[in-house]
Amino acid sequence: MTDAQRPADDAEGVERDRADEAIANAIRSSKLGHIAPGEAPSGGAILRAMGGVRGIVESLLPGLLFLVLFTITQDVWISVLVPLAVSVVAVLLRVLTKGQPVLAFAGLIGVGISAAVALFTGNANDNFLWGFIVNSLGVVALTISLIARRPLIGLIAGGLTSTPYAWRTEPARRAVAVRATILWICVLAARLAVQVPLYAAEATQALATTKLLMGVPLYGAALWVTWLMVRAVPEPEAEQRDAPASA
């Protein structure tokens, strides 16, 4: 490596560290900040990371209402507008109670786009197109992060620890980051593999049921497994602390 190349590489490394630190700060301030990879996994921490009971209800209720209303009425307008109204109320309640409306607002955007597409086409089945787009983008983003040798789950897990860059320098952490990223690719791809054929068959009720079952429960399980994988690799401080004792 020439002297001219070395400063350029150093500058690139500094910019990369700044980007990783910005991501780490954002993660610590989010709901995922309730999870500390070094701690023993607990249902309560997973629940808080997913928005708590209130957040889970806000996530599940629109889909459940769509399923019930469409099964009873077979009416596209009622089936998509009632869940949309419920999502609007959830955001307003978050604002009025000085809660954190970000997750509820994000859910409202998804419900709103899905409803708009279904109403535009007049086909209740199209209520699920937006979900397919989001899952596909997730698969693409995670895959690109692997190809770029910056596995996204490594960035997220690093942001929850005191060593946000360890996954880049420690082979064990990097291996876990790669495997956890592959796990989430499989989760999103599984949703597409199961739901897209149901969409093609216009099995709207089966599709709505599958979306509920492969939504919050599947994400919760994947989050738990990811936590166990990350926790299996001890922190550098713990390794150094245990070294004299083992010697």
Side-chain angles (χ1 to χ4, degrees):
M1 181 183 297
T2 66
D3 293 339
Q5 289 176 317
R6 198 169 287 114
D9 292 340
D10 292 343
E12 182 180 347
V14 170
E15 291 298 323
R16 184 174 56 188
D17 289 347
R18 287 177 179 172
D20 286 354
E21 186 62 34
I23 294 173
N25 290 333
I27 293 168
R28 292 189 195 105
S29 62
S30 70
K31 288 292 183 181
L32 286 173
H34 290 291
I35 293 180
E39 296 178 359
S42 69
I46 292 289
L47 184 64
R48 289 192 298 273
M50 297 176 68
V53 174
R54 182 176 180 178
I56 291 177
V57 170
E58 290 172 350
S59 299
L60 291 175
L61 193 55
L64 183 60
L65 284 173
F66 174 87
L67 175 60
V68 172
L69 292 172
F70 186 77
T71 300
I72 295 173
T73 68
Q74 297 291 307
D75 186 287
V76 177
W77 286 77
I78 293 175
S79 301
V80 300
L81 289 180
V82 172
L84 179 60
V86 169
S87 296
V88 171
V89 171
V91 172
L92 291 176
L93 287 176
R94 288 275 187 177
V95 173
L96 292 175
T97 58
K98 296 182 179 180
Q100 293 185 339
V102 177
L103 289 178
F105 188 71
L108 173 61
I109 292 175
V111 173
I113 293 174
S114 299
V117 173
L119 293 176
F120 179 76
T121 63
N123 187 347
N125 219 31
D126 291 337
N127 186 59
F128 303 95
L129 282 176
W130 176 245
F132 297 157
I133 294 173
V134 171
N135 283 289
S136 298
L137 290 175
V139 170
V140 171
L142 289 167
T143 302
I144 290 175
S145 75
L146 284 179
I147 295 173
R149 301 177 62 81
R150 293 171 64 81
L152 190 56
I153 303 304
L155 292 175
I156 295 174
L160 298 174
T161 68
S162 58
T163 55
Y165 318 120
W167 66 270
R168 291 207 309 252
T169 58
E170 299 176 29
R173 290 185 184 280
R174 184 171 186 81
V176 166
V178 170
R179 291 168 187 162
T181 300
I182 293 173
L183 168 66
W184 282 93
I185 291 175
C186 292
V187 168
L188 299 180
R191 285 170 58 90
L192 292 170
V194 172
Q195 295 174 19
V196 170
L198 293 175
Y199 171 83
E202 296 190 357
T204 305
Q205 289 157 290
L207 180 54
T209 303
T210 303
K211 182 178 179 181
L212 287 172
L213 295 176
M214 300 186 74
V216 172
L218 184 59
Y219 286 147
L223 188 60
W224 184 282
V225 172
T226 302
W227 191 1
L228 291 175
M229 292 172 66
V230 173
R231 184 174 178 265
V233 183
E235 288 285 343
E237 292 82 358
E239 293 175 352
Q240 294 172 3
R241 188 169 54 249
D242 294 339
S246 61

